[in-house]
Amino acid sequence: MTRRGIELLLLIIAAPIVIVLFAMLVVTGGQELSFNTLGVPIGIFLAFFIAHLAIRKLAPNADPAILPITFALSGIGIAFVTRLVPDLASRQLMWLFAGVAVMIVVLLVVRNLDKLANYKYTFMIVGVLLLLSPMLPVVGTEINGSRLWLTMGSFSFQPGELAKICIVVFLAGYLAQNREMLSVFTWKVGPLRLPSLATLLPLLAMWALAFLIVVLEKDLGSALVLFLVFLIMLYVSTGKVLYVVVGLVLAGIAAVALFFMFSHVQTRVAIWLDPFADAQNKGYQIVQSLYSLADGNLFGVGIGRGMADLIPYVESDFIFSAIGEECGLLGAAGVLLLYLCFAIRGMLTAARAKSDVSSFMAVGATSIVVLQAFIIVGGVTRLIPLTGITLPFISQGGSSLLAGFIVVAILLRAGDAGTGADVEMTSAISRSRHSSNSVLGRVALGKNITYALVFFSVLFALLVANLTYIMVVNAQAYQNMPGNNHTIAKEEKSERGTISTYDGVVLAQSIEQADGTYERNYPAGTLAAHVVGYYSSKYGTSGIEASYNDTLKGQRNFASWSEVVNSLAGISQPGNDVTLTLNSKIQEAAQEAIAGYNGACVVMDPTTGAVLAMASSPTYDAADIENVMQNSSAGSSELLNRATQALYAPGSTFKIVTLSTALANGVATLDSKYDAPGKMDIGNAPVTNFRDRDYGNITLERAFEVSSNTAFGQLGVQIGADGLVAGADSFGFDAQIKLEVPLAKSLMPDPDEMTTWETAWAAAGEPVGEHESPAGPQATVLQMALVGSAIANDGQAMQPYLVEGVYNANGERSFTAQPSKLTRAVSSDVAAQVLEAMKGVVANGTGGAAAINGVTVAGKTGTAEHEGKENDSWFVGIADADGQRNVIVALMLEEAGSKTSAAAKAKSVIQTALQVQGVL
């Protein structure tokens, strides 16, 4: 197939990309697809088809990929300009048609690029004059702090875009004429050899020109593009890395000088380093850009569905952010890949060029487009400081578009006059290996071009890596920022799913307001507030509202493939409903039991791990979260979930763990006898019973019933620190147990640091150690519920969970919780023995207040002592102990003292749970 045949085929392949973009805009706008509504992309294709026919006649041997790449980029640009600023779309389309026409005219007029070199100094003068022309009075215009425009009436033009091309033409002619002199270093400066001062003058002149542009016009972008293009052309022509090093050193010196000389340079750097420090003012553009890109994720939010139009001047400086948001990482990376392909084809054209002038001109023209794309994309993605230049072929702006098509014309002409229609870089170099038309020869030139192309590839790899970090790796962090107005605005417009109890009581729901937005409502007030959490645009989320945030927004736990497709397409859909394992009646009973105290209560089904109630006191109303946040104090915050986030000394309830460990390790039996005086020294320090009661010589089972600390202190020493800690760990201590709400790790000390006295007290549930590792035991209320659950469930503790299921808006279930094992605490035989001992606590010991007529309650009381304060009161209960054993209650009251019994409080909760389950 001929080159022009390939070009036509590539144009046809690229056409659907442009047409589909416009089709999505039409559908999003609520119009019907038709020939009329798709007239713009069809018109663009016809313009490029005409250009293709002209190239067949004027440049038949030109590169076949450059025009199709330009078509794809230009089509994407027109589509997004239409999407973002419809009022300017027609003007941009006219500029595109004008650009295509100018490209054809350039090909018609310029038949030999070498002849342009004869006028190199003329082009230099014109280029400099064009760069400085915005400084003219009256017609020169300053916009947003940069003086870049010539304005005459309603017409405005940016002469710097054409100036770059003029300077490239000058540099190509100058370097072709003088590269032998530039390649030979004759001037000795100390240990270094440099080119003569006369040959260095252009380098210094370009450095001065770039510096002057920044000083006079405050145009960081154009100065950077010009200087880098010059360095690349100089390196390709000479192969001397020293030029690059010296150029970069000079650029660094200029950058430091400009930073201290000009406040606008300092501002750009400050915004680059931390745009969020002034997110609503100077950093607003880049912050909004990051928010848009983060929203794009992998597949984008859908054409026409993004919020990039909130970015000032999005159609010019930040149009890439809009592409990233609406087309996702895949679409944004695709655009960058088109620019990289442009770089590859441009450099191949340079390698094929028949003369140094056309080769260097191709290198310079390609560099203008590629470097400009890198600098602006790097700026809007915060890879480098932001500079105000356009994205070639895509950004809104006629002068940029016109200059881009002149660049394309130069590349087509250079390719047409190349070494052969079917000869690419490698063969071109090999065929001209012995050419003597230059000092370096074609082989060295080809190597230099290859290194430049590798440099471009590295630049675009950095852009893609940075985009991946923003749009995928760190996207959620950006989206969850409190000040992210994109997230807040989108969530207010979508119906968030409900949160309800297992028996159907709605705990949280979204109510539609008159303006179409939704407000979060908590109809059950304080019921299960610590489990449900809160949802606030100011303070964020907590509890289930936080852990199931994506599910409640409808972005996870899909019930059907249609929901998956809608989500990927960015189509808004109602959030999913979350059903908890909590029972409203049991939850009410748990909250009433601890009302008026600081404390917590957890009710579980030991056979499944389902949490039937989780109460913490004091509590709060999520509907009034703003006042709660402002008025709560750190020490008594009602926001703290004391059931899962607070660690307490478990007191004698820990004796369940101690007894289980002793029986499992064969250290003792329930019939083993122990002296249980009111006070005794263990490890040369005292261990005492509650109120120093003396129980005499009693069995271990009786010591458990009356909760003798002295007897269990002796038992703990027999078990040993290692055995006691290992026994606690088998119940879940020292493990980070997963749960849908934050759960603190229950702690035991390092056994190597435990003294005999500390081991004795730890066996009784009192943490008294002072060492590097934490004193222990320290437990959450949920942890002690798990201890009771393991005993009730034949020694097997189940994984606790709070969410029973997830349903979509149509009631279709997408998730069902499946019970799973957490840890094998003890054998079923040991569990049965401990259960019998716990029955005795309620029937004959300290837990009598928990007894219920008609059912058997097993339990263990606990009193955690605090010096100078009232004691904490604990109870862990199992019911029906002689039946299904499917209710576990762990209840703790802070500083309740001797007048309040946790066992009595737990009794009402157990009764309610048994009534709900039909046992009572």
Side-chain angles (χ1 to χ4, degrees):
M1 185 179 290
T2 65
R3 282 177 169 259
R4 302 283 63 81
I6 295 173
E7 182 179 77
L8 180 59
L9 178 61
L10 292 175
L11 282 172
I12 294 172
I13 292 174
I17 298 174
V18 179
I19 293 173
V20 166
L21 281 175
F22 276 91
M24 289 181 176
L25 282 176
V26 170
V27 172
T28 304
Q31 298 175 279
E32 292 185 4
L33 290 175
S34 66
F35 185 82
N36 291 332
T37 54
L38 294 178
V40 171
I42 294 172
I44 296 172
F45 177 77
L46 289 176
F48 276 86
F49 180 71
I50 293 171
H52 161 74
L53 295 178
I55 294 169
R56 278 182 176 272
K57 180 69 176 176
L58 300 173
N61 293 326
D63 187 274
I66 290 176
L67 187 70
I69 293 169
T70 305
F71 166 57
L73 290 171
S74 301
I76 293 169
I78 295 294
F80 273 91
V81 170
T82 304
R83 148 79 181 96
L84 297 168
V85 280
D87 295 342
L88 299 179
S90 297
R91 180 185 296 182
Q92 185 73 359
L93 186 62
M94 292 302 103
W95 276 112
L96 185 143
F97 291 151
V100 173
V102 168
M103 178 185 71
I104 296 173
V105 170
V106 171
L107 287 174
L108 184 63
V109 174
V110 181
R111 297 303 182 101
N112 189 339
L113 293 176
D114 289 5
K115 291 184 178 180
L116 295 180
N118 296 331
Y119 306 96
K120 54 182 176 293
Y121 292 108
T122 302
F123 277 103
M124 180 191 72
I125 294 170
V126 171
V128 172
L129 290 176
L130 285 172
L131 279 175
L132 298 178
S133 61
M135 301 305 299
L136 292 172
V138 183
V139 292
T141 305
E142 181 175 319
I143 300 176
N144 298 322
S146 296
R147 197 175 181 90
L148 307 176
W149 299 87
L150 292 177
T151 304
M152 288 168 281
S154 61
F155 178 80
S156 60
F157 190 77
Q158 194 171 347
E161 297 292 343
L162 295 181
K164 297 171 190 173
I165 298 173
C166 292
I167 290 175
V168 163
V169 174
F170 157 72
L171 289 173
Y174 181 86
L175 292 172
Q177 182 180 0
N178 298 283
R179 69 173 183 151
E180 183 175 350
M181 294 177 60
L182 290 166
S183 302
V184 179
F185 292 177
T186 59
W187 181 24
K188 189 173 182 180
V189 181
L192 300 176
R193 284 188 175 273
L194 301 173
S196 65
L197 183 60
T199 55
L200 278 177
L201 281 177
L203 174 62
L204 299 174
M206 282 302 302
W207 175 82
L209 180 62
F211 189 89
L212 190 65
I213 293 171
V214 176
V215 172
L216 297 179
E217 300 182 357
K218 300 180 181 179
D219 186 7
L220 295 171
S222 293
L224 187 58
V225 170
L226 273 176
F227 193 72
L228 290 178
V229 167
F230 171 67
L231 283 184
I232 289 172
M233 292 180 70
L234 187 61
Y235 169 75
V236 169
S237 65
T238 65
K240 298 297 183 181
V241 178
L242 180 62
Y243 283 125
V244 178
V245 174
V246 172
L248 293 177
V249 170
L250 289 174
I253 294 171
V256 173
L258 291 169
F259 178 81
F260 289 103
M261 288 171 60
F262 298 104
S263 60
H264 71 277
V265 178
Q266 297 172 9
T267 299
R268 291 288 178 92
V269 174
I271 291 172
W272 172 55
L273 294 175
D274 186 10
F276 298 98
D278 193 9
Q280 299 303 317
N281 189 13
K282 294 178 181 178
Y284 184 78
Q285 275 185 307
I286 190 67
V287 166
Q288 293 299 312
S289 173
L290 293 173
Y291 288 162
S292 288
L293 290 170
D295 287 343
N297 209 278
L298 193 60
F299 299 104
V301 300
I303 304 300
R305 301 181 184 277
M307 298 179 67
D309 46 4
L310 294 175
I311 308 174
Y313 303 102
V314 63
E315 71 278 6
S316 54
D317 295 357
F318 286 84
I319 198 166
F320 186 80
S321 301
I323 294 172
E325 180 181 17
E326 300 189 357
C327 298
L329 175 62
L330 296 181
V335 170
L336 295 180
L337 184 60
L338 286 174
Y339 282 110
L340 183 57
C341 290
F342 189 94
I344 293 170
R345 302 311 301 186
M347 288 306 194
L348 286 175
T349 296
R352 291 181 61 248
K354 71 174 183 178
S355 68
D356 289 347
V357 170
S358 55
S359 180
F360 298 157
M361 208 173 290
V363 169
T366 303
S367 298
I368 288 175
V369 172
V370 175
L371 290 173
Q372 195 162 315
F374 170 78
I375 290 169
I376 187 59
V377 173
V380 302
T381 59
R382 206 185 157 203
L383 180 64
I384 59 176
L386 179 66
T387 57
I389 57 177
T390 57
L391 186 61
F393 303 113
I394 292 181
S395 290
Q396 187 273 328
S399 48
S400 173
L401 199 56
L402 199 64
F405 279 100
I406 295 175
V407 164
V408 171
I410 291 172
L411 291 173
L412 292 173
R413 177 55 65 208
D416 181 57
T419 54
D422 302 313
V423 182
E424 294 296 347
M425 187 173 187
T426 303
S427 57
I429 293 170
S430 62
R431 285 190 180 190
S432 56
R433 187 182 303 273
H434 304 291
S435 173
S436 59
N437 68 334
S438 68
V439 174
L440 295 179
R442 305 300 292 181
V443 174
L445 180 62
K447 288 181 179 179
N448 297 342
I449 291 173
T450 301
Y451 292 142
L453 184 56
V454 170
F455 171 67
F456 289 152
S457 301
V458 170
L459 292 183
F460 281 92
L462 289 174
L463 288 179
V464 173
N466 188 47
L467 272 178
T468 303
Y469 177 75
I470 293 171
M471 301 180 70
V472 178
V473 178
N474 204 41
Q476 190 170 5
Y478 284 123
Q479 291 166 351
N480 293 337
M481 283 184 171
N484 190 326
N485 54 325
H486 292 213
T487 300
I488 295 170
K490 286 185 289 187
E491 291 184 359
E492 286 179 348
K493 294 178 181 179
S494 60
E495 184 178 3
R496 192 174 175 85
T498 64
I499 302 174
S500 59
T501 64
Y502 185 77
D503 55 332
V505 175
V506 176
L507 302 174
Q509 62 184 357
S510 292
I511 304 297
E512 187 173 7
Q513 306 300 297
D515 60 357
T517 62
Y518 288 85
E519 184 178 279
R520 201 61 170 164
N521 182 261
Y522 298 90
T526 62
L527 189 67
H530 291 91
V531 176
V532 174
Y534 55 80
Y535 172 85
S536 167
S537 59
K538 184 175 183 179
Y539 296 106
T541 57
S542 71
I544 296 297
E545 292 275 31
S547 60
Y548 273 72
N549 186 44
D550 289 343
T551 298
L552 291 164
K553 291 191 295 185
Q555 297 175 357
R556 189 177 292 178
N557 294 111
F558 303 112
S560 64
W561 280 108
S562 63
E563 292 183 356
V564 176
V565 173
N566 288 341
S567 177
L568 293 177
I571 298 174
S572 178
Q573 52 192 0
N576 297 311
D577 298 331
V578 173
T579 299
L580 304 178
T581 55
L582 306 181
N583 179 278
S584 63
K585 293 183 175 60
I586 303 175
Q587 181 69 30
E588 287 175 358
Q591 291 187 201
E592 290 175 3
I594 61 175
Y597 297 88
N598 286 0
C601 179
V602 174
V603 184
M604 291 182 64
D605 182 341
T607 62
T608 64
V611 178
L612 305 179
M614 180 178 286
S616 178
S617 179
T619 186
Y620 67 96
D621 188 343
D624 194 33
I625 188 61
E626 187 163 342
N627 287 331
V628 172
M629 285 285 191
Q630 293 174 352
N631 298 326
S632 61
S633 61
S636 59
S637 173
E638 55 265 51
L639 295 171
L640 177 68
N641 186 348
R642 287 170 166 78
T644 60
Q645 294 175 286
L647 290 173
Y648 300 100
S652 292
T653 58
F654 188 78
K655 290 171 183 172
I656 301 173
V657 175
T658 306
L659 179 61
S660 298
T661 303
L663 297 176
N665 293 348
V667 172
T669 67
L670 291 176
D671 295 327
S672 297
K673 290 291 191 76
Y674 289 88
D675 289 327
K679 180 178 181 180
M680 66 184 303
D681 284 349
I682 301 177
N684 300 317
V687 175
T688 60
N689 289 332
F690 184 64
R691 294 180 177 175
D692 295 337
R693 289 177 180 169
D694 186 344
Y695 297 106
N697 185 265
I698 55 176
T699 64
L700 182 58
E701 181 174 15
R702 183 57 184 165
F704 187 75
E705 291 174 353
V706 299
S707 201
S708 170
N709 292 336
T710 54
F712 268 80
Q714 297 171 68
L715 181 63
V717 173
Q718 287 180 288
I719 296 170
D722 288 306
L724 188 64
V725 171
D729 289 351
S730 69
F731 279 91
F733 281 78
D734 293 320
Q736 191 61 64
I737 300 171
K738 293 181 180 179
L739 193 67
E740 296 90 334
V741 297
L743 176 61
K745 181 194 297 185
S746 296
L747 303 174
M748 287 295 290
D750 181 344
D752 293 336
E753 296 178 342
M754 296 175 68
T755 65
T756 302
W757 178 69
E758 180 184 353
T759 302
W761 270 117
E766 293 288 349
V768 296
E770 294 182 4
H771 35 62
E772 185 175 347
S773 65
Q778 298 180 61
T780 63
V781 177
L782 178 65
Q783 175 62 66
M784 296 315 298
L786 286 172
V787 169
S789 294
I791 300 303
N793 195 41
D794 297 325
Q796 177 69 61
M798 303 297 287
Q799 171 67 46
Y801 62 95
L802 286 160
V803 175
E804 184 276 333
V806 176
Y807 302 81
N808 67 9
N810 297 322
E812 298 171 307
R813 182 185 282 264
S814 62
F815 167 75
T816 301
Q818 299 295 328
S820 60
K821 297 177 180 179
L822 175 65
T823 178
R824 165 60 69 176
V826 290
S827 66
S828 58
D829 178 64
V830 170
Q833 293 181 64
V834 176
L835 181 64
E836 287 301 317
M838 292 178 70
K839 292 179 187 177
V841 171
V842 177
N844 307 307
T846 57
I852 300 173
N853 292 331
V855 296
T856 302
V857 177
K860 184 69 190 77
T861 58
T863 302
E865 300 180 20
H866 302 288
E867 187 175 349
K869 298 180 180 179
E870 294 284 358
N871 299 330
D872 295 343
S873 182
W874 279 85
F875 184 76
V876 176
I878 303 171
D880 177 10
D882 285 332
Q884 297 180 357
R885 305 195 302 272
N886 55 0
V887 173
I888 296 293
V889 174
L891 187 146
M892 193 282 307
L893 302 175
E894 295 180 22
E895 301 181 29
S898 58
K899 296 181 179 179
T900 302
S901 167
K905 293 289 186 180
K907 174 181 177 178
S908 62
V909 180
I910 295 172
Q911 283 180 313
T912 302
L914 293 175
Q915 288 169 356
V916 168
Q917 295 183 352
V919 177
L920 288 178

